[in-house]
Amino acid sequence: MGQSPPVVLGRENSLCDPFTFLSSSSAFISGEGFRVEIAVEIVDYTAELPDECLAFVFQFLGPGDRNRCSLVCKRWFRVDGWSRHRLSLNAQSEIVSSLPSLFTRFDSVTKLALRCSRKSISLTDDALLTISIRCRNLTRLKLRGCREITDEGMSTFAKNSKKLRKLSCGSCMFGAKALNAVLDHCANLEELSVKRLRGIHDGAEPIGPGAAASSLKMICLKELVNGQSFAPLVLGSKNLKTVKIIHCLGDWDSVLQLIGNRNRNYKENLNCDINYGSSDSNRSPLMEIHLERLQVSDIGLSAISKCTKIENLHIVKTPECSNYGLVCVAENCKLLRKLHIDGWRTNRIGDEGLIAVAKHCSNLQELVLIGVNATHVSLSAIACNCSKLERLALCGSGTIGDTEIACIAAKCMALKKLCIKGCPISDIAIEALGSGCPNLVKIKVRKCRGVSGDAGEWL
């Protein structure tokens, strides 16, 4: 290992010592009339590596490279098989006959993704049963477009998949019965992501936490007709940290009020659990809430302000929310570290709400403002009071110009990353950034017509 290939020198017509060439050799005639032959011996440098080390190397490769490596030799084929923990399959019905041999080879799969296009027929309940029997160590499952899987199939799968920790399902036909079965049998479930489930409709049965009440930490609901049926699940999950509700129909103020009361009761019970042994004393507070494209008003925002331990809040394209709701959140959620606001250019959130954030949320590290017409009044307050601010994004605002950027450059000493998009700034703002923000390492400027290419080169 590490040595140069052997070289044989001799007269053109002389006899040389015999060599066994394991690969093609090259020959040429030098200027002195010598014939030069180079024998390159192919050496398998992985032969002395233990299988575990070879498997560790495979972990750094993408799926395509791993597939190609498995064709090199029988050993690599075998090591790739037992060390492959993540598998993504085209879940068409034709794959059913290949499942036994497939999971005989990949017998250590813990993360499985099943995807089927709209134009194809997906695998059925029987195939899902086969997978649940073969993959006894499955901890993560992602289903996309598997429209042939029913409530009964998911229920059977859940009974055989007690180790499941993460479930993500989208564009499937099963509904509340299937999800309740998963929550009843998968006591270790930590993350549940549900998107565009056809079986979740008006009148669907409530979805409760079941056996996963103590383990569930994240719930994500996207594009559901009746997402409110998940309210018992959210309220009953004792250790829930993150709730994401995105583009779900219906009025969500009432659900957010229930969530706020849940956390207020947690705080009250926390003060008396030592003396009275409250059953809610083991609950954990919510720390992250995403609200996007929802029918939510200031009633909902003031309700979640009772979740005083929130560190990450996204208010995205909720046109009924205003400064009043944001002020309520700022005054109560003083541990806020990340705040994303997309005001959708409704001008209902602006300086008043942001000044409250500056006044009460001194731990703020990341602020994203999209379609929010903030001015130097609020940005100056944030720059002065939020001394830990490291990441700032200002997009689509007609009021953020050179004066506002100069204010940020002069006062945001901890700022590391700055993004400015679609704002009326000029080269003057870029020059100000070059003179300030000593810790700035990344600047992204897009669709700002007043900024020339020369400013970027100078910066």
Side-chain angles (χ1 to χ4, degrees):
M1 294 179 63
Q3 296 179 353
S4 301
V7 178
V8 181
L9 298 177
R11 295 284 183 183
E12 181 179 357
N13 296 322
S14 64
L15 296 175
C16 301
D17 293 335
F19 274 86
T20 302
F21 295 106
L22 300 182
S23 66
S24 60
S25 59
S26 59
F28 64 91
I29 305 299
S30 67
E32 291 78 12
F34 283 91
R35 178 183 177 88
V36 180
E37 292 185 355
I38 302 177
V40 180
E41 182 180 0
I42 296 178
V43 180
D44 182 5
Y45 293 106
T46 69
E48 297 180 1
L49 282 178
D51 288 350
E52 291 76 10
C53 293
L54 184 59
F56 182 75
V57 174
F58 284 166
Q59 291 179 10
F60 292 91
L61 304 178
D65 289 334
R66 288 198 67 153
N67 292 339
R68 286 184 282 272
C69 284
S70 67
L71 301 177
V72 170
C73 62
K74 290 182 178 180
R75 182 190 176 218
W76 285 27
F77 181 87
R78 174 177 55 81
V79 172
D80 172 63
W82 65 256
S83 65
R84 182 93 66 129
H85 300 297
R86 186 190 300 268
L87 202 61
S88 181
L89 301 178
N90 186 354
Q92 296 181 5
S93 57
E94 293 79 6
I95 199 176
V96 174
S97 59
S98 304
L99 289 178
S101 59
L102 190 66
F103 288 105
T104 297
R105 177 188 172 191
F106 301 109
D107 57 355
S108 300
V109 172
T110 59
K111 305 171 185 178
L112 179 64
L114 301 174
R115 296 181 174 89
C116 185
S117 67
R118 295 180 179 180
K119 299 180 180 180
S120 303
I121 299 176
S122 73
L123 47 74
T124 61
D125 292 345
D126 292 337
L128 192 62
L129 174 61
T130 301
I131 291 173
S132 67
I133 294 174
R134 292 278 184 170
C135 300
R136 288 295 187 181
N137 295 318
L138 198 64
T139 60
R140 298 185 184 182
L141 176 65
K142 178 181 290 186
L143 299 174
R144 289 291 182 273
C146 298
R147 290 173 293 277
E148 306 302 319
I149 296 178
T150 67
D151 287 336
E152 289 70 22
M154 284 298 297
S155 299
T156 305
F157 169 83
K159 294 175 183 178
N160 295 330
S161 304
K162 302 293 181 65
K163 296 182 180 180
L164 196 67
R165 293 183 179 274
K166 296 183 180 181
L167 174 63
S168 175
C169 46
S171 300
C172 298
M173 300 302 294
F174 55 80
K177 183 179 178 181
L179 294 178
N180 277 324
V182 171
L183 294 165
D184 286 337
H185 296 286
C186 302
N188 296 313
L189 193 69
E190 296 178 356
E191 296 185 11
L192 177 64
S193 180
V194 180
K195 179 180 180 180
R196 208 181 300 123
L197 277 193
R198 300 296 189 269
I200 305 296
H201 49 75
D202 289 337
E205 63 180 276
I207 299 171
S214 299
S215 61
L216 203 59
K217 297 178 181 178
M218 191 280 287
I219 297 174
C220 180
L221 310 176
K222 292 183 179 180
E223 300 178 27
L224 298 176
V225 174
N226 184 20
Q228 289 85 350
S229 59
F230 287 84
L233 176 62
V234 175
L235 300 175
S237 300
K238 298 179 181 179
N239 293 304
L240 193 62
K241 299 291 186 183
T242 302
V243 173
K244 300 180 180 180
I245 309 173
I246 302 170
H247 206 182
C248 294
L249 298 181
D251 187 356
W252 283 89
D253 281 342
S254 58
V255 176
L256 295 179
Q257 285 179 313
L258 294 174
I259 294 175
N261 291 334
R262 166 197 182 272
N263 280 264
R264 183 180 64 182
N265 292 336
Y266 154 80
K267 184 177 180 180
E268 293 174 352
N269 289 325
L270 190 64
N271 296 329
C272 63
D273 60 350
I274 297 178
N275 297 326
Y276 299 101
S278 171
S279 59
D280 288 337
S281 60
N282 292 326
R283 287 181 178 270
S284 294
L286 275 174
M287 301 180 68
E288 183 174 354
I289 296 180
H290 290 221
L291 307 175
E292 182 173 345
R293 289 179 177 266
L294 297 178
Q295 185 180 338
V296 174
S297 69
D298 289 335
I299 296 174
L301 282 187
S302 60
I304 65 173
S305 69
K306 299 174 184 177
C307 305
T308 57
K309 301 296 182 180
I310 291 179
E311 296 183 1
N312 190 341
L313 177 62
H314 288 220
I315 308 171
V316 179
K317 296 179 180 178
T318 55
E320 296 181 27
C321 295
S322 70
N323 283 320
Y324 175 81
L326 183 57
V327 170
C328 290
V329 170
E331 290 177 348
N332 293 282
C333 304
K334 299 181 180 181
L335 300 180
L336 207 61
R337 293 189 301 110
K338 296 182 180 180
L339 177 61
H340 289 216
I341 301 175
D342 187 339
W344 226 359
R345 297 184 178 179
T346 59
N347 294 327
R348 301 198 68 187
I349 295 179
D351 282 342
E352 181 183 349
L354 294 175
I355 289 173
V357 171
K359 181 178 179 181
H360 300 284
C361 304
S362 59
N363 292 314
L364 197 66
Q365 297 177 3
E366 179 175 305
L367 177 62
V368 176
L369 300 177
I370 303 173
V372 176
N373 287 329
T375 68
H376 69 279
V377 176
S378 57
L379 293 180
S380 176
I382 289 174
C384 291
N385 298 334
C386 302
S387 59
K388 298 179 182 179
L389 189 65
E390 296 181 352
R391 298 173 296 277
L392 176 63
L394 306 170
C395 307
S397 174
T399 59
I400 296 178
D402 293 339
T403 302
E404 284 71 25
I405 300 302
C407 174
I408 291 169
K411 299 179 180 180
C412 287
M413 296 295 102
L415 196 65
K416 294 181 178 180
K417 296 182 179 180
L418 175 63
C419 175
I420 307 173
K421 180 180 178 182
C423 297
I425 65 172
S426 68
D427 291 351
I428 297 174
I430 304 301
E431 292 180 7
L433 290 173
S435 304
C437 300
N439 292 305
L440 199 62
V441 296
K442 183 176 182 180
I443 300 178
K444 181 186 291 185
V445 179
R446 295 185 61 191
K447 297 183 179 180
C448 297
R449 297 180 179 179
V451 178
S452 65
D454 295 338
E457 294 179 0
W458 171 82
L459 185 60

